[in-house]
Amino acid sequence: MPDFAAPDETTRIKLDTGHEVVAYAWGEGEPVVLLSGGPGLPCRYLAEPHLRLVEQGFRVISYDQLGTGASHRPEDPKLWHVARFATEVDQVLKALGLEKPHLLGHSWGGWLGMEFAVTCPGRLKSLTLADTAGDIPHLVSELNRLRGGLGIETVRMMQRREALGQYEHPEYLAAITLLNYRHMCRLDAWPEPMTASVEDWNMAPYFEVQGPNEFHYIGNLSHWNRLEALGGFDAPALVLCGAHDEMTPACALRLASAIPGAEIEVFPNSAHCPFYEEPEAYFARVGGFLKAAAG
């Protein structure tokens, strides 16, 4: 795996909001645009492992979404909704001259990729949806099932703390920490790019869109569902997840079944980050799909 390299190009892009985001590019070949998770999470955690795609002949492009990393960090909550972020994707692609790239979205980046795909049809050569879901109410039911694995007394404690808004209470944080290690990343030590991005997480857009953590959805995306709209997507699509993923295999199957001709892969020893947990299998699958989609 290559060390995280300085990008070949760094581009500042002005959005129609008046703010700027910063994009990065590595390598040459057909462009693969990465949409990182969060929202509010810098792109490094996703970009660094995906530099393996440069070795496979692709140009890897990522950017810090508004509110993250080196991009502007406004404090206007009206900016934090999926439709505005999808418009941002459109503006970034146009600014970089990317007419029909491959798009890979991870987690929240998958929701963003789906929103872009259905609101800007015909703009993608392929779509890879990694560790994500197309139906948030269904995802919430799956998350409640995973929470149940902690035992009824712990679930009751979590519900009580959530009702009181006590998301920082030590016993509640302990339960979330255990869920994260079961269903976010199962490695004994999380990779440094991941911990560095998490430490720089801007929680303002995250809370507005999603909620206080990965297992309690109370934000403005809590009723989002794009499964029906994805029935019109007509480019190659690949859906990925880990067997232990918070975005469960049931979510992945529901998503893949909604997209005509979509392929699906479940990594047996991974949670939410198979590009760290099973990198050889992950990049063989993603690279093979992208090469086939490139023709």
Side-chain angles (χ1 to χ4, degrees):
M1 178 175 178
D3 293 330
F4 194 60
D8 299 329
E9 294 180 15
T10 300
T11 307
R12 301 197 69 89
I13 299 168
K14 190 167 185 177
L15 305 175
D16 60 5
T17 62
H19 305 102
E20 289 185 345
V21 296
V22 181
Y24 315 94
W26 297 262
E28 298 179 353
E30 290 212 4
V32 179
V33 177
L34 308 177
L35 298 179
S36 54
L41 192 61
C43 72
R44 183 190 166 194
Y45 88 93
L46 188 65
E48 180 161 346
H50 283 82
L51 292 185
R52 284 192 183 219
L53 296 176
V54 173
E55 298 177 336
Q56 297 186 41
F58 292 97
R59 181 170 177 78
V60 172
I61 298 162
S62 190
Y63 76 96
D64 287 323
Q65 296 164 21
L66 189 64
T68 74
S71 296
H72 285 177
R73 299 194 183 201
E75 298 182 357
D76 182 357
K78 293 191 297 295
L79 294 168
W80 312 136
H81 57 85
V82 70
R84 206 280 316 156
F85 277 104
T87 299
E88 176 180 300
V89 174
D90 180 36
Q91 293 173 36
V92 168
L93 297 186
K94 287 177 177 176
L96 297 176
L98 299 171
E99 295 184 1
K100 205 165 185 178
H102 303 276
L103 192 69
L104 186 155
H106 174 249
S107 194
W108 149 260
W111 303 334
L112 188 50
M114 287 179 248
E115 188 73 14
F116 174 79
V118 300
T119 57
C120 299
R123 295 277 301 282
L124 299 178
K125 194 159 193 177
S126 75
L127 179 61
T128 301
L129 299 170
D131 313 281
T132 190
D135 177 350
I136 301 302
H138 175 253
L139 167 62
V140 170
S141 71
E142 286 291 280
L143 292 174
N144 287 336
R145 181 176 62 79
L146 297 180
R147 285 161 55 123
L150 298 180
I152 187 62
E153 292 301 323
T154 300
V155 170
R156 287 173 178 162
M157 175 275 293
M158 295 180 72
Q159 292 171 338
R160 176 162 47 91
R161 296 301 177 195
E162 288 163 354
L164 297 172
Q166 296 175 343
Y167 306 122
E168 300 301 317
H169 192 282
E171 66 178 359
Y172 183 78
L173 289 177
I176 294 298
T177 297
L178 181 55
L179 286 169
N180 282 337
Y181 275 91
R182 284 184 178 183
H183 304 295
M184 176 69 71
C185 181
R186 294 168 71 86
L187 297 176
D188 288 340
W190 286 11
E192 191 272 335
M194 187 172 174
T195 58
S197 290
V198 168
E199 288 170 2
D200 193 27
W201 204 324
N202 181 356
M203 294 301 292
Y206 181 83
F207 196 98
E208 191 71 23
V209 171
Q210 182 165 319
N213 56 66
E214 293 292 291
F215 299 90
H216 186 47
Y217 279 65
I218 56 174
N220 59 40
L221 203 72
S222 59
H223 299 289
W224 183 87
N225 183 334
R226 280 302 199 181
L227 294 184
E228 183 176 355
L230 286 165
F233 187 72
D234 60 358
L238 173 64
V239 176
L240 307 168
C241 79
H244 308 280
D245 209 321
E246 59 177 322
M247 311 285 184
T248 66
C251 294
L253 177 60
R254 193 174 179 89
L255 177 54
S257 298
I259 304 173
E263 302 174 29
I264 185 170
E265 189 75 30
V266 179
F267 298 97
N269 299 311
S270 293
H272 196 54
C273 299
F275 41 88
Y276 285 124
E277 297 166 288
E278 293 181 78
E280 299 303 327
Y282 175 89
F283 285 104
R285 187 67 174 93
V286 171
F289 168 76
L290 291 172
K291 288 174 182 175

